[in-house]
Amino acid sequence: MKYFIPLFLLVNFALIGGCFDSATKSLVSEDIELLVESPPYKVGDDIPALAYMQHDEEYNPESVIPPQCYTKTEGTNNPCYACHQTDKKNKNRPNAMNDGHLQGVYEFSDLGLKNHWKNLFIDRTALIEQISDDQISSWVNQDNYSHFIKKLKANPDWQGEVAEVKNLAYPAQAFDAQGFAKDGSHWVAFNYKPFPSTFWPTNGSTGDVMIRLGDNFRQLEGQYNQDVYIANLSLVEMAVKDLDKITTPDISEQKIGQDLDGDGKLSAVISQITKQANYVGDAKNTQLSYQLYPQDTEFLHTVRYIGVDENGEIYNAPRMKEVRYMKKHAFKSKQLLASSYYSEAKEKHFENLPQTRYLGDEGINNMFGWTINGYIEDSEGDLRPQHKQELAFCNGCHKTVGSTYDQSFSFPRKVEGREGWGYIDLRAMQDVPNKGEQQGEFLTYFERVGGGDEFRQNQEMLMRWFNQDGTVNKQKVRSAKNLYELITPSKARAQQLNKAYLTIVKEQSYLFGRDATLIKAKNVLEVVDESQAPLQEEKRYVWDMQLEWN
């Protein structure tokens, strides 16, 4: 009996907390109908993800445990170190999570012992075969962001943010050479090294990140001043990375009214500043805080399909899988953050399940000073607000993870100083080491993980960068010209990954996992039991996500 993935699941989003209704028009000119021989879920377990949301029934109370945490380490393979860290040497670090002990162990609640990310265990080969290359190319090259922003702005009942950047689907049109949005929205794109390895294009998605500071960080005496803004952006970078000096795009101390390079005079043009006690311009009364962003800092992050042209060149596709937004609505000192971490630890000690504070249209409060919101494709490809169960997933990374800096990943990994202002460019980056290490970060990751992704199932990466005996071909990795060569897929793999993700979109099964896996995962646990050996002590690592750019 044939089974059709339900294209009728254009659910009335009023029922699930969204702002769109079932009359939403498709942006796609050619409908894609997916046909398989049998349902993708087991008999008795075929409830669609949308049904849980429609009826407000919680599917996964432990959605803060990401899929990667169920990876089989087999005692030696360690993808865990990139998230779980304890830095005992740095007593001033605001991140007090200190969860390095979680590397290679499965300390889950009873509910968390079952892996709820069941999309990992579906072979999508038959689904993928139903989608042609022309269909998927047409899909990924359509702009679903501009229409989404237009609808938000036209909705009088919408209470959330409207994170607009004109032409964001086409970055060359949206940003100037220094990363400043051309529309005057004051979003600034920066070039950063993608976090290992979920955000590598070879593992499913492309993406970018923009930052925006509050009004007073962009102004002098109430008027916009780009020199002030550049200086404050650079000072934020210095605060987060604990730098004493940093190169900047050319700015004028005379236009700022302050000596920033420490030479005792106000110069017409400088390209380097030293660390200051306070920010400048109308933010002059705000102190720099060690490894913390100032209040009202915003981040905009798009997760996109993999663009691939006729020659197999990879680029950030116009179509967005997700639009993610964070705003630091409240500044918390190191002491207040310690209290928040303690509260989290106490809740876990008493075996209470994780709680997510939902704010309606505004998203969720992670309880560490940040408001987090996110939008994802509906079954026709239009972006929609994520349901509160889908948003709870965000807390898995942006709440209590030991490796983060002020609950963030990308900005601490920005190319340092002047060279890092501008849209992300994998060809402009090398595989530099992490702080305190000697060899390239991605080479190190390959060695520690035993593969080119957390699940060790990216066969293309294994064939490219590993020897037949499973060891890393160090010489070949070191000879890579840039990051683009290291972490982008072939045209064939890019098309397959895009098709695999599209099947999840058509199912609207994000509650069951968002990873664009092609076949059933073999190196991932479906259920955690006592037979799983912990990671060997010598395979656990102290690691800093920041990079030695020099």
Side-chain angles (χ1 to χ4, degrees):
M1 178 177 175
K2 300 291 186 180
Y3 170 81
F4 289 89
I5 290 178
L7 299 179
F8 61 83
L9 288 178
L10 282 173
V11 71
N12 184 332
F13 290 110
L15 294 177
I16 62 169
C19 68
F20 302 133
D21 58 31
S22 57
T24 300
K25 299 298 183 182
S26 172
L27 296 177
V28 184
S29 59
E30 183 177 10
D31 190 24
I32 299 174
E33 191 172 52
L34 305 175
L35 179 65
V36 292
E37 293 297 327
S38 59
Y41 311 119
K42 297 176 183 177
V43 175
D45 192 23
D46 57 354
I47 302 171
L50 283 178
Y52 287 98
M53 298 188 291
Q54 285 177 303
H55 297 282
D56 203 24
E57 293 287 340
E58 190 169 23
Y59 166 69
N60 181 9
E62 285 281 21
S63 62
V64 297
I65 304 174
Q68 290 78 8
C69 287
Y70 291 94
T71 300
K72 297 176 184 177
T73 68
E74 298 177 340
T76 60
N77 302 297
N78 182 1
C80 319
Y81 77 91
C83 288
H84 300 300
Q85 283 296 319
T86 298
D87 186 355
K88 294 182 179 180
K89 295 180 181 179
N90 188 350
K91 304 299 183 183
N92 296 319
R93 194 165 188 259
N95 187 335
M97 185 60 193
N98 295 331
D99 61 355
H101 65 283
L102 292 179
Q103 290 183 35
V105 297
Y106 305 96
E107 292 186 3
F108 301 152
S109 68
D110 289 344
L111 277 172
L113 294 176
K114 177 184 177 182
N115 186 345
H116 287 77
W117 305 109
K118 57 187 179 181
N119 274 344
L120 291 173
F121 306 107
I122 296 174
D123 187 330
R124 295 188 176 270
T125 305
L127 290 168
I128 291 170
E129 289 176 351
Q130 303 303 312
I131 308 171
S132 72
D133 288 350
D134 288 343
Q135 285 175 317
I136 198 63
S137 294
S138 174
W139 179 269
V140 305
N141 282 301
Q142 294 176 48
D143 171 11
N144 60 348
Y145 170 83
S146 299
H147 179 66
F148 160 70
I149 291 294
K150 184 178 180 180
K151 291 195 72 170
L152 284 188
K153 292 170 72 173
N155 186 345
D157 298 323
W158 178 248
Q159 300 297 311
E161 84 294 332
V162 180
E164 180 180 13
V165 179
K166 187 176 181 180
N167 296 320
L168 184 56
Y170 308 100
Q173 300 177 32
F175 303 100
D176 66 19
Q178 293 181 346
F180 285 84
K182 296 178 182 179
D183 63 0
S185 62
H186 307 303
W187 285 105
V188 188
F190 54 89
N191 195 21
Y192 63 98
K193 194 177 184 186
F195 193 78
S197 68
T198 299
F199 292 101
W200 294 351
T202 186
N203 291 325
S205 302
T206 60
D208 52 28
V209 183
M210 288 69 69
I211 187 173
R212 181 166 66 181
L213 303 183
D215 290 343
N216 55 329
F217 289 83
R218 311 192 298 254
Q219 296 177 352
L220 179 63
E221 297 179 356
Q223 299 297 314
Y224 176 70
N225 185 311
Q226 184 148 312
D227 294 81
V228 164
Y229 195 15
I230 292 173
N232 281 328
L233 286 165
S234 301
L235 289 170
V236 168
E237 184 174 354
M238 296 177 79
V240 171
K241 297 181 178 180
D242 190 31
L243 303 173
D244 292 324
K245 60 183 179 180
I246 197 169
T247 60
T248 70
D250 289 348
I251 55 176
S252 170
E253 290 177 317
Q254 295 173 1
K255 292 181 179 179
I256 298 171
Q258 190 170 332
D259 175 21
L260 295 177
D261 61 4
D263 67 356
K265 59 184 180 181
L266 298 182
S267 301
V269 178
I270 62 169
S271 57
Q272 179 174 286
I273 64 175
T274 57
K275 196 169 186 178
Q276 309 291 309
N278 289 31
Y279 293 98
V280 301
D282 290 352
K284 62 184 178 182
N285 294 324
T286 302
Q287 293 182 342
L288 274 69
S289 295
Y290 179 66
Q291 294 187 353
L292 296 174
Y293 302 98
Q295 185 169 326
D296 294 331
T297 298
E298 298 170 280
F299 287 105
L300 181 60
H301 170 36
T302 75
V303 183
R304 304 174 184 234
Y305 287 81
I306 308 168
V308 53
D309 66 18
E310 294 180 354
N311 298 318
E313 292 295 303
I314 302 300
Y315 59 91
N316 286 12
R319 177 171 289 279
M320 299 176 190
K321 297 178 176 181
E322 296 184 54
V323 174
R324 299 173 176 179
Y325 172 82
M326 289 178 65
K327 181 173 183 178
K328 194 166 189 179
H329 64 262
F331 179 83
K332 287 195 172 188
S333 65
K334 178 179 179 293
Q335 292 73 26
L336 285 175
L337 287 171
S339 177
S340 295
Y341 281 111
Y342 175 75
S343 295
E344 286 287 312
K346 185 170 67 172
E347 290 297 310
K348 186 171 183 179
H349 174 76
F350 286 105
E351 299 183 354
N352 294 325
L353 289 171
Q355 299 296 311
T356 297
R357 180 172 291 185
Y358 183 56
L359 306 174
D361 289 348
E362 294 180 9
I364 59 175
N365 182 342
N366 77 345
M367 307 307 294
F368 285 77
W370 293 92
T371 299
I372 301 173
N373 215 349
Y375 310 89
I376 204 161
E377 287 180 286
D378 68 21
S379 61
E380 287 199 338
D382 288 334
L383 290 166
R384 63 164 174 83
Q386 292 188 41
H387 183 267
K388 59 184 178 182
Q389 288 193 57
E390 294 168 327
L391 282 172
F393 171 75
C394 304
N395 272 342
C397 292
H398 293 288
K399 193 173 186 180
T400 49
V401 172
S403 68
T404 59
Y405 283 74
D406 202 353
Q407 280 61 51
S408 75
F409 289 87
S410 298
F411 194 73
R413 299 172 59 80
K414 172 188 170 294
V415 175
E416 189 172 306
R418 181 188 187 113
E419 299 303 317
W421 294 112
Y423 194 76
I424 186 170
D425 182 2
L426 297 179
R427 287 185 172 88
M429 286 181 279
Q430 305 296 321
D431 186 27
V432 297
N434 294 94
K435 278 193 170 182
E437 301 194 12
Q438 298 301 313
Q439 71 176 14
E441 175 188 44
F442 292 173
L443 171 56
T444 299
Y445 186 85
F446 293 163
E447 290 182 324
R448 293 177 178 177
V449 174
D453 66 317
E454 296 95 336
F455 307 132
R456 307 191 303 282
Q457 66 183 40
N458 185 330
Q459 295 301 310
E460 188 169 88
M461 291 293 276
L462 291 172
M463 291 177 64
R464 281 185 179 179
W465 306 116
F466 288 75
N467 300 311
Q468 289 186 352
D469 63 0
T471 59
V472 182
N473 188 332
K474 289 187 177 183
Q475 183 177 355
K476 189 175 181 182
V477 173
R478 286 170 175 154
S479 67
K481 297 177 183 177
N482 47 42
L483 294 190
Y484 177 91
E485 187 174 330
L486 270 178
I487 62 172
T488 55
S490 66
K491 180 178 181 179
R493 178 171 171 81
Q495 296 280 51
Q496 285 187 314
L497 289 168
N498 286 336
K499 292 175 185 179
Y501 186 80
L502 177 55
T503 67
I504 295 174
V505 172
K506 290 297 180 180
E507 296 167 356
Q508 290 290 283
S509 60
Y510 306 120
L511 289 185
F512 306 153
R514 310 178 191 191
D515 296 281
T517 52
L518 305 177
I519 58 175
K520 180 178 178 178
K522 296 180 179 179
N523 297 319
V524 182
L525 297 168
E526 294 190 56
V527 178
V528 177
D529 58 44
E530 295 179 354
S531 68
Q532 300 305 315
L535 198 67
Q536 297 172 16
E537 201 65 40
E538 63 271 20
K539 297 294 184 179
R540 305 184 187 194
Y541 309 101
V542 177
W543 179 81
D544 190 331
M545 73 159 67
Q546 288 197 35
L547 300 150
E548 296 281 9
W549 290 109
N550 295 323

